[in-house]
Amino acid sequence: MRKELKVAIISMVSIVLVVAIIIGAVWFFGRSTDPVSVVPASWHITSGDFNSQSYEGYVTADNLQTVTLSSTQTVTQVMVKEGQRVAKGDALLKYDTTLTDIQLERQNLAVQQAQLRVEQAKKDLNRINAMKPYTGPPATRATTAPTTALLTPETEPQWLDGTGKTKSDPIRLLWIEGSKPYDDLIGKYLGTKDEVWITVEMRESNSRYGELLSAIGIHVQRVKAQTPATDATDETSETSETTAPSNTGTLSYSFFVPTITDLTPDPTPTPTETEWVDTSSGYTAAEIAAMKTEKQREIRDLDLEWRKAQVQYRRMQEEAQGGTLKATVDGVVTHLGDQQTDVDTGTPFLVVSGGGCYYVKFDIGEYDRDLYPVGSEVQIQSWTTGESLTGVIESIAQTPSSGQYWGSGNPNVTLYQATVSVSGDAMLTVNDYVSVQLQGAESDSALYLENMYIRSDSTGSYIMKEDENGKLVKTYVRTGGTLWNSYTAVYDGLSEEDWIAFPYGKQVKEGAKTVHDENGNVG
């Protein structure tokens, strides 16, 4: 019995030793032996007392009605006086408008184009997110770089491919900035046909093989005019049997987001078994991170332009519907201005107040949320009039905002929707956009670190920096507002004497050995 027990114990110990050896071998051979490059933090820091943080917001109202006139409206009769009490539905004024259906349609197209630009930018961001960083060829394998096409610039718009008969097979046109107007090219490819599908592409170096910079799809249809009937008994008519030319009629335009496939130069060399083929994007990890930040900023700006275009289109629709404007709230006419002055300055011509106020909605950063609790005063500046006003933060959401492109240039900073109340006496217009200035941030100067060196996880924002033993350490930092959409305020955990690593890549982990890179080659 003792012998069997002894054998069993020896077997169990052997199994444990084998498992330990396997785990140790996996750890030893799986760990990276290459050190991680670190650079002086001072190279990527800007410091200063930037105590004013700006966000973007839009105006709403509670129990208030503002009437702002456009340049195409002329007031013919004002039916109320300042101080007069009105009820919902009472007529306030009558107006004439010179707004045409063409102007309304143009604004509708402007909305569609703005939306397409947002969607295209989001597609670009998805493409950037899918980019594989360039790491270079393996040191132990022979490499042969594949032949690439020279980016030969074109001087005139070029047909790339496609027939233009369907949306899935459009005529692809390489557009050269500053060349002939769209109309000439559209007329060329439409010819006598009733419709044509075209995508207009702008590429790097004006080359058909250059990287795609932007693209828009255009669907052109010919709406033919009706040919009036000819009186067969009219002896002076000599063209009763002549049909209208097939290229007459009004052209109708609509836009779509095209699906673009890059052209491949011919011939494409076939790599041999010993060739190293570069399947990366050609950009380093640091360059890709910078591209992401820039594209996110672009999406935020384009999204803002789209929203503003929608507001303008709704206003134009309301103006075109009729010549009498009625009260939408029960209250008192608190302001009645001068039409010409108010059109020039963009201020409201008429205000009806039922005792309410204006509200400004904006997204506030995670750190500023703690600095500016409910009840804090902020400065509001109208984009239309330039007027500066004081408001009070009424509420801040407890859950992150879904509007990820509003108010911050760093995607690693979490945003929360805040509401600011502004007096009903202010000269604001509902749906207008304003700047929200947070004054008097921390008195000590923050260090503003480039966005690409900051990452975040479920715990918070962090950086990767070198410790006193020459090893990487993950350091959590308190972040604040952003500067120029490129830097984020860091209030602790970082000094200008630190050495920091670009926080992306398989080798970048706590405990990794570091090497000082005086050339600044990160990623």
Side-chain angles (χ1 to χ4, degrees):
M1 177 67 72
R2 290 182 178 177
K3 183 177 180 181
E4 293 176 354
L5 179 61
K6 185 177 181 180
V7 171
I9 292 174
I10 293 173
S11 299
M12 292 178 62
V13 171
S14 300
I15 292 172
V16 170
L17 287 174
V18 170
V19 171
I21 291 171
I22 293 174
I23 293 175
V26 169
W27 173 84
F28 181 81
F29 291 105
R31 67 190 178 98
S32 173
T33 58
D34 294 329
V36 176
S37 296
V38 290
V39 295
S42 58
W43 291 0
H44 303 279
I45 283 175
T46 182
S47 57
D49 192 10
F50 301 104
N51 287 335
S52 176
Q53 172 60 23
S54 178
Y55 292 92
E56 299 157 357
Y58 63 95
V59 180
T60 63
D62 174 48
N63 213 23
L64 273 174
Q65 179 183 4
T66 59
V67 178
T68 303
L69 300 174
S70 72
S71 59
T72 54
Q73 287 176 292
T74 302
V75 175
T76 58
Q77 182 180 1
V78 178
M79 308 174 74
V80 293
K81 296 180 180 181
E82 193 167 315
Q84 179 178 334
R85 178 167 291 277
V86 296
K88 185 176 181 179
D90 287 351
L92 300 176
L93 57 84
K94 292 184 178 181
Y95 65 88
D96 289 334
T97 178
T98 60
L99 184 67
T100 65
D101 290 341
I102 293 178
Q103 290 173 302
L104 196 61
E105 182 60 25
R106 284 177 180 170
Q107 185 60 32
N108 186 26
L109 289 176
V111 172
Q112 294 182 45
Q113 289 178 311
Q115 181 182 4
L116 287 171
R117 284 192 286 268
V118 172
E119 292 174 356
Q120 182 62 54
K122 288 182 178 180
K123 281 188 173 184
D124 293 342
L125 180 60
N126 290 336
R127 179 176 57 83
I128 294 171
N129 287 334
M131 283 183 175
K132 182 179 178 182
Y134 176 80
T135 57
T140 58
R141 297 181 61 184
T143 61
T144 301
T147 303
T148 57
L150 295 176
L151 299 185
T152 305
E154 304 288 353
T155 58
E156 293 290 335
Q158 298 291 320
W159 174 87
L160 300 179
D161 63 21
T163 64
K165 294 181 179 179
T166 64
K167 183 178 181 180
S168 59
D169 184 29
I171 290 174
R172 294 177 57 190
L173 181 64
L174 175 66
W175 176 255
I176 308 301
E177 189 172 0
S179 56
K180 65 178 66 176
Y182 273 124
D183 292 348
D184 294 354
L185 292 168
I186 289 173
K188 172 183 175 181
Y189 291 110
L190 179 62
T192 60
K193 298 187 289 291
D194 291 333
E195 67 171 356
V196 67
W197 298 80
I198 300 174
T199 63
V200 180
E201 305 174 21
M202 294 189 70
R203 292 182 171 273
E204 179 186 5
S205 302
N206 287 334
S207 169
R208 63 178 59 228
Y209 300 119
E211 180 182 350
L212 181 68
L213 301 178
S214 65
I216 187 171
I218 306 174
H219 181 209
V220 186
Q221 292 179 293
R222 191 191 308 280
V223 181
K224 293 186 177 181
Q226 296 295 324
T227 304
T230 304
D231 189 351
T233 61
D234 188 355
E235 296 180 356
T236 63
S237 174
E238 298 180 0
T239 59
S240 59
E241 296 181 359
T242 303
T243 58
S246 59
N247 60 347
T248 60
T250 303
L251 299 184
S252 172
Y253 301 84
S254 61
F255 300 87
F256 64 97
V257 177
T259 300
I260 303 297
T261 302
D262 287 338
L263 299 177
T264 302
D266 187 33
T268 300
T270 303
T272 65
E273 292 184 358
T274 59
E275 274 188 0
W276 173 74
V277 179
D278 183 9
T279 59
S280 74
S281 62
Y283 296 98
T284 65
E287 290 171 330
I288 292 174
M291 290 166 64
K292 287 180 182 179
T293 298
E294 176 62 22
K295 185 58 66 173
Q296 286 165 333
R297 181 201 61 78
E298 179 187 342
I299 291 174
R300 183 203 64 181
D301 293 343
L302 290 174
D303 185 69
L304 176 61
E305 292 301 318
W306 179 28
R307 293 169 188 251
K308 290 169 66 177
Q310 292 178 78
V311 169
Q312 180 63 19
Y313 181 55
R314 286 196 295 268
R315 286 179 180 172
M316 293 174 70
Q317 284 182 309
E318 292 172 359
E319 178 181 332
Q321 284 176 356
T324 301
L325 195 145
K326 298 181 179 180
T328 59
V329 298
D330 296 328
V332 175
V333 178
T334 59
H335 174 75
L336 192 59
D338 175 79
Q339 178 177 356
Q340 187 59 50
T341 301
D342 292 333
V343 168
D344 292 340
T345 61
T347 54
F349 171 71
L350 187 151
V351 178
V352 178
S353 173
C357 66
Y358 295 102
Y359 288 112
V360 174
K361 307 284 188 181
F362 75 101
D363 286 344
I364 189 171
E366 56 186 327
Y367 182 68
D368 289 330
R369 182 182 64 156
D370 297 331
L371 281 181
Y372 297 88
V374 171
S376 300
E377 286 193 352
V378 298
Q379 294 298 308
I380 307 295
Q381 185 172 35
S382 169
W383 289 12
T384 302
T385 66
E387 183 179 5
S388 183
L389 308 161
T390 299
V392 177
I393 296 180
E394 291 285 335
S395 66
I396 301 177
Q398 297 301 309
T399 55
S401 168
S402 59
Q404 59 178 321
Y405 300 115
W406 286 82
S408 174
N410 185 0
N412 293 320
V413 174
T414 305
L415 302 175
Y416 299 83
Q417 187 175 87
T419 302
V420 174
S421 63
V422 182
S423 170
D425 296 331
M427 290 290 98
L428 293 174
T429 300
V430 175
N431 291 325
D432 264 358
Y433 289 88
V434 297
S435 295
V436 181
Q437 300 282 342
L438 307 182
Q439 301 291 337
E442 284 194 352
S443 57
D444 58 314
S445 297
L447 296 178
Y448 283 78
L449 179 64
E450 282 190 75
N451 294 336
M452 67 180 181
Y453 284 96
I454 302 175
R455 289 193 70 174
S456 64
D457 57 19
S458 58
T459 302
S461 299
Y462 67 88
I463 61 174
M464 300 297 291
K465 70 178 185 179
E466 181 186 57
D467 65 10
E468 63 276 9
N469 299 316
K471 302 287 184 67
L472 272 189
V473 59
K474 184 178 183 179
T475 304
Y476 286 95
V477 294
R478 288 192 303 132
T479 58
T482 60
L483 184 65
W484 312 316
N485 291 313
S486 299
Y487 295 83
T488 295
V490 177
Y491 291 96
D492 58 22
L494 176 68
S495 73
E496 294 194 60
E497 290 72 37
D498 285 332
W499 288 73
I500 57 176
F502 180 68
Y504 297 86
K506 294 180 180 179
Q507 296 173 255
V508 181
K509 61 185 70 175
E510 281 199 290
K513 292 182 179 180
T514 59
V515 59
H516 288 195
D517 189 342
E518 299 288 352
N519 296 319
N521 298 319
V522 299

